[in-house]
Amino acid sequence: MHPPLDECTASNPLTDICYGRAPNFWQPGDPPLNSFPRALLRAALFAASSVVLAASCTDGGSIGDSYNPNHGDMGPVPPENSGGGGTTAAAGGTTGSSTPTGGTTSPPDTGSAGGNPGSSNGGGGSTLGSGGTSSTGSGGTTASGGRGGSTASNGGTGGAPSTGTAGAGGSTLPPVSLSHCKRGEAFDKNSLGDLQALSKGISWWYNWSTAPEKTAAGYAMAGVEFVPMVWGIKGGLPDPATIEKQIPAGAKYILGFNEPNFGAQSNIPAAQAASLWPRIEQIAKDRNLKIGSPSPNYCAGDCNDTDPIHYLDTFFAACTGCQVDFIAAHWYACTGDALKNYIGKLKKYGKPIWITEFSCMDQGDHSAAGELTYMKTAVDILENDPMIFRYSWFTGRWPDQPGINLLGASSGTLTDLGNQYMSLPASNTCGQ
């Protein structure tokens, strides 16, 4: 999760330094400027040197996740149930790119056992479709029918599962027919009543942890799929045997490390993430899961890499032959043009894309009305792009910025934004 940031849209010395151009020269698709708050950066700019502050202007999305919106304290809290074991020092890898000065960090949500918010999950290579079809994917086995992993197959008898070829880089996911099959929620404190209310318009959720939150006990009744995530290594290296026991039956996907380029999040440089990836692959193999990439975002301040595209490029260069079935990423800018620009960059990997955290948290209108307007624009883009396999709005409840909340104060109630999320036009065919 990310606090408000500023895009380089205004004419001021900071934006001019960041992009090296004259005032009022911002173009659609340019990234947000990371400033928390802008007043502090401006003061530092004129009090110190422009060179230092220029390093805090990044190429687009977020500034980190160090403030925990659910606990009201500073600092990340890695999931307790993400599988400990091993030493706390991760093997291999480099320290990543140099840390830019300036910028601020932003809030992580906690998982069911104290985990932090993270990225999405996704799937290439398996079939979830209703109507009884199955398909072969190169990243592993495919399964017939079924909604969200928690209910029986949708629409007839599914075909027998077929085994795909274990291949480098995973595979694309064939079309799936299911109402609201793309749409999800990123939140870690759902009640069963919340999920039942949301089930009118979402098919899945995740909570930055390997198991559903205890408050969502009985979630299968809501027909909403849970997607597990291996958040990071701050509680110890991922132990496949432990994690495999925590993942609930019916899971189909697993998400990789949460914002690994952020010092305040999982903080795993790309080369190190590649060295740890066999552990993720082992979990996926044993539980027959499709794997999502690490989920980076644009970062300034305490970062091992400021650019998510550069992070993923470095990861794939170091992880040749690794199984990655879909790309997971976060996005918090507030315009449709910026979102389309970002998605265009992610398409270079040729895999299904999951935008696992998004809402208007950078410079923009953060009121309830502003979030309603942005949501309409963003959801229309995500629903109509065939490369987008899934997406999840951040978040259910966050008191620090209530304009983004899907859920009301009491269990099972929706805000106006939540009701809109349920009712916006949705594709019934997902994947490619």
Side-chain angles (χ1 to χ4, degrees):
M1 185 37 241
H2 312 278
L5 312 180
D6 296 321
E7 290 176 331
C8 288
T9 55
S11 175
N12 61 64
L14 185 54
T15 60
D16 300 341
I17 290 169
C18 286
Y19 289 118
R21 57 183 178 232
N24 292 321
F25 217 74
W26 183 86
Q27 299 296 323
D30 277 351
L33 170 63
N34 192 337
S35 57
F36 177 70
R38 172 164 294 212
L40 293 179
L41 291 182
R42 284 177 171 168
L45 174 69
F46 293 106
S49 72
S50 61
V51 174
V52 173
L53 287 174
S56 70
C57 183
T58 66
D59 188 15
S62 82
I63 53 173
D65 283 318
S66 67
Y67 174 69
N68 190 315
N70 292 317
H71 291 290
D73 56 1
M74 296 299 293
V77 184
E80 295 174 4
N81 66 343
S82 61
T87 61
T88 56
T94 62
T95 58
S97 60
S98 59
T99 301
T101 60
T104 60
T105 56
S106 66
D109 291 316
T110 58
S112 62
N116 289 7
S119 65
S120 53
N121 31 48
S126 71
T127 314
L128 303 182
S130 64
T133 59
S134 65
S135 172
T136 299
S138 66
T141 61
T142 63
S144 62
R147 174 179 179 174
S150 61
T151 61
S153 63
N154 236 0
T157 302
S162 58
T163 302
T165 303
S171 62
T172 60
L173 193 66
V176 173
S177 180
L178 178 68
S179 180
H180 299 95
C181 55
K182 290 188 178 186
R183 195 167 301 172
E185 177 213 28
F187 187 46
D188 67 336
K189 286 180 169 34
N190 287 298
S191 67
L192 175 58
D194 292 336
L195 291 174
Q196 288 172 329
L198 291 167
S199 67
K200 296 180 293 184
I202 70 169
S203 63
W204 70 283
W205 101 99
Y206 82 109
N207 64 1
W208 305 279
S209 189
T210 51
E213 51 265 42
K214 294 178 180 178
T215 52
Y219 71 92
M221 297 169 55
V224 180
E225 175 190 353
F226 171 74
V227 179
M229 166 183 260
V230 177
W231 183 88
I233 60 174
K234 290 186 177 180
L237 299 182
D239 176 53
T242 300
I243 293 173
E244 288 166 19
K245 294 176 183 177
Q246 295 164 349
I247 295 172
K252 297 177 177 65
Y253 310 104
I254 188 166
L255 299 174
F257 307 125
N258 181 66
E259 295 189 345
N261 55 324
F262 286 62
Q265 284 297 304
S266 61
N267 193 25
I268 307 173
Q272 185 181 11
S275 72
L276 294 169
W277 209 247
R279 294 170 180 259
I280 308 298
E281 291 176 315
Q282 185 64 51
I283 296 166
K285 177 182 177 183
D286 293 343
R287 290 299 306 269
N288 192 26
L289 305 172
K290 296 302 174 185
I291 305 175
S293 72
S295 52
N297 201 356
Y298 288 100
C299 179
D302 181 13
C303 318
N304 60 63
D305 197 328
T306 60
D307 186 339
I309 305 302
H310 181 265
Y311 182 95
L312 289 171
D313 286 346
T314 306
F315 170 79
F316 282 117
C319 210
T320 56
C322 290
Q323 179 186 349
V324 177
D325 300 297
F326 57 92
I327 301 297
H330 298 172
W331 186 249
Y332 284 100
C334 300
T335 69
D337 285 344
L339 176 60
K340 287 188 285 188
N341 179 274
Y342 187 46
I343 292 171
K345 293 178 180 180
L346 295 172
K347 288 179 179 179
K348 66 183 285 186
Y349 303 107
K351 300 177 185 293
I353 298 167
W354 295 42
I355 303 296
T356 49
E357 291 183 27
F358 81 105
S359 57
C360 175
M361 298 294 284
D362 292 0
Q363 184 182 20
D365 183 356
H366 300 152
S367 68
E371 295 291 347
L372 282 164
T373 298
Y374 174 67
M375 176 186 277
K376 288 180 182 178
T377 299
V379 167
D380 181 67
I381 292 168
L382 296 167
E383 285 288 345
N384 289 291
D385 191 322
M387 288 294 289
I388 300 297
F389 186 74
R390 285 187 173 182
Y391 61 85
S392 53
W393 182 266
F394 183 90
T395 188
R397 296 182 183 94
W398 188 39
D400 287 4
Q401 191 165 326
I404 65 173
N405 291 352
L406 298 176
L407 297 168
S410 58
S411 173
T413 62
L414 300 175
T415 62
D416 289 343
L417 188 72
N419 280 314
Q420 175 176 271
Y421 199 50
M422 300 300 97
S423 62
L424 287 173
S427 171
N428 289 333
T429 302
C430 305
Q432 53 176 348

